Amino acid sequence: MRPLNTRVFTPEQVSEAAAILRRGGLLGIPTETVYGLGADGLNPDAVKAIFAAKGRPQDNPLILHIPTADWLERYCAEVPPQAYALAERFWPGPLTMILRRRPCVPDVVTAGLDTVGMRCPDHPAARAVLTAAGVPVAAPSGNTSGRPSPTCAAHMLEDMNGKIEGIVDGGPCAVGVESTIIDLTAVPPRLLRPGGVSLEQLRAVLGEVAVDGAVSRPLSAGERPRAPGMKYRHYAPRAPVTVVRGSPGAAAAYIRSQIRPGDGVICFEEFAQEYPGCVVESLGSAADKGEQARRVFAALRSFDATSAVRIWAQCPDEVELGLAVCNRLNKAAGFHIVQLPMDAEQRAGE
Ligand code: AMP
Ligand code: MG
């Protein structure tokens, strides 16, 4: 691929940026979840270029981004009342719905599936780009395949400078982990990926929601995940990661007992001073899962610029946004997890 001169646009320059999409080019787009790598979702050649720029396997489908829920019926064959109930409550926002697709959606977007992932993002620059482009925008996260997702323009440029025509710098992402994915073609609806809209919030609207096994355990040999992306190693820094689960104090003590000088540690702010001689990345306070979600990808990404040869990570419980933070850390660790005995208080919360 010939290197491109990647232009950085301000949010005031969205109409120029959106013109890139209209002529079939690739554009980095800020959203509230992570930065996305966008192309015209109805142009198969433009969509193919996304896979090439990321080094993304062809069997991993993309999400179509739309400016309003009333675009759903253009691309989805059946839009059940549940979809409108979710859109009413959570759109624009960090929720992707899997629905039956119409034939107008190119195969390259859906990796040949008869379903398509649909999302209406909530970032003023993303919304302005979508409106100006006038097409549904296919966009996965803007990282090189396998690396942590970018949560600011600089991180996306680390991976994509010279490979895309432009990027809109919309500042740091407010949510920090990718969208929640709910499969509405399954009965009951099935959570495929935890994200900024929590399982608890989905259940409040939908009633029963099943949780796909791939959310919290590795796939067994030959098992086919419902979200094809779940089968790939993801979000991983170069050094291997070990997640330590248990009460924050016990996990911190365990990590202290294991570390060697120069190791990397991802920990809650309360414990950041406890690892002298290590490369420490704070996730923010143990109680603040919103901050942990905002910081987790930058923390994982930061180790690639250090000489850390192994990384230890504290992890929140799986309640609310904790499920998404845990999922990203577990996947970065290839599900290499040390589970400490739980104390009475934690057991009561399970
Ligand atoms: P991205 O957010 O970077 O990484 O990629 C989109 C995610 O959505 C991947 O994990 C895909 O496997 C998932 N996805 C997209 N379309 C579908 C679909 N039709 N059915 C199930 N999962 C999907
Ligand atoms: Mg991704």
Side-chain angles (χ1 to χ4, degrees):
M1 214 181 347
R2 197 161 47 87
L4 299 169
N5 180 16
T6 302
R7 265 191 74 183
V8 180
F9 296 96
T10 67
E12 290 70 43
Q13 297 171 307
V14 285
S15 54
E16 253 185 289
I20 292 176
L21 295 173
R22 281 201 305 275
R23 60 172 185 263
L26 299 182
L27 180 69
I29 302 170
T31 82
E32 78 280 27
T33 58
V34 301
Y35 274 68
L37 176 47
D40 175 352
L42 300 180
N43 176 339
D45 288 331
V47 174
K48 276 184 204 143
I50 294 178
F51 287 86
K54 281 182 64 92
R56 183 177 176 100
Q58 300 280 343
D59 67 348
N60 192 0
L62 308 179
I63 292 167
L64 276 189
H65 295 75
I66 53 176
T68 52
D70 57 18
W71 283 37
L72 276 175
E73 302 204 2
R74 299 186 192 181
Y75 310 110
C76 303
E78 291 157 31
V79 184
Q82 291 165 319
Y84 288 111
L86 290 176
E88 178 77 20
R89 174 72 181 78
F90 300 115
W91 276 7
L95 179 69
T96 296
M97 305 182 209
I98 306 296
L99 296 163
R100 297 255 167 254
R101 68 144 157 168
R102 284 191 189 276
C104 63
V105 179
D107 276 343
V108 59
V109 171
T110 66
L113 298 174
D114 62 357
T115 55
V116 60
M118 303 295 301
R119 178 162 110 84
C120 174
D122 182 23
H123 185 294
R127 292 172 63 73
V129 167
L130 290 175
T131 305
V135 290
V137 172
S141 52
N143 50 289
T144 298
S145 224
R147 289 205 80 200
S149 302
T151 50
C152 63
H155 289 172
M156 181 154 176
L157 282 167
E158 260 176 35
D159 289 10
M160 292 299 153
N161 200 8
K163 297 183 175 175
I164 60 177
E165 282 191 47
I167 178 170
V168 180
D169 186 346
C173 299
V175 176
V177 290
E178 303 89 338
S179 59
T180 301
I181 303 181
I182 180 98
D183 183 352
L184 292 181
T185 69
V187 182
R190 198 173 184 90
L191 177 74
L192 302 186
R193 177 173 75 184
V197 171
S198 70
L199 178 60
E200 292 85 345
Q201 288 175 302
L202 291 174
R203 285 183 172 150
V205 174
L206 297 174
E208 193 185 355
V209 174
V211 178
D212 200 64
V215 168
S216 41
R217 62 168 171 76
L219 293 165
S220 38
E223 190 179 359
R224 271 189 43 203
R226 287 172 189 251
M230 298 299 262
K231 74 171 175 278
Y232 294 106
R233 181 162 183 261
H234 237 115
Y235 315 133
R238 277 188 279 276
V241 180
T242 303
V243 169
V244 182
R245 305 207 48 184
S247 71
Y254 178 87
I255 294 172
R256 266 198 317 278
S257 75
Q258 300 293 315
I259 48 171
R260 293 193 290 256
D263 278 3
V265 180
I266 296 175
C267 66
F268 301 127
E269 185 62 35
E270 292 84 341
F271 305 94
Q273 304 305 319
E274 300 196 7
Y275 311 99
C278 293
V279 186
V280 177
E281 281 293 321
S282 166
L283 284 181
S285 159
D288 188 349
K289 290 172 176 166
E291 188 64 13
Q292 293 160 29
R294 277 188 289 279
R295 292 197 197 181
V296 66
F297 283 134
L300 286 165
R301 183 172 275 267
S302 70
F303 292 104
D304 284 351
T306 75
S307 54
V309 293
R310 51 181 200 163
I311 299 163
W312 303 90
Q314 286 196 291
C315 180
D317 65 34
E318 296 191 329
V319 178
E320 294 168 349
L321 201 46
L323 186 62
V325 176
C326 258
N327 169 266
R328 303 312 189 271
L329 285 169
N330 289 345
K331 292 198 72 173
F335 288 94
H336 188 240
I337 301 167
V338 173
Q339 175 70 60
L340 302 175
M342 285 189 287
D343 57 36
E345 199 183 328
Q346 277 184 300
R347 268 196 301 274
E350 290 280 303

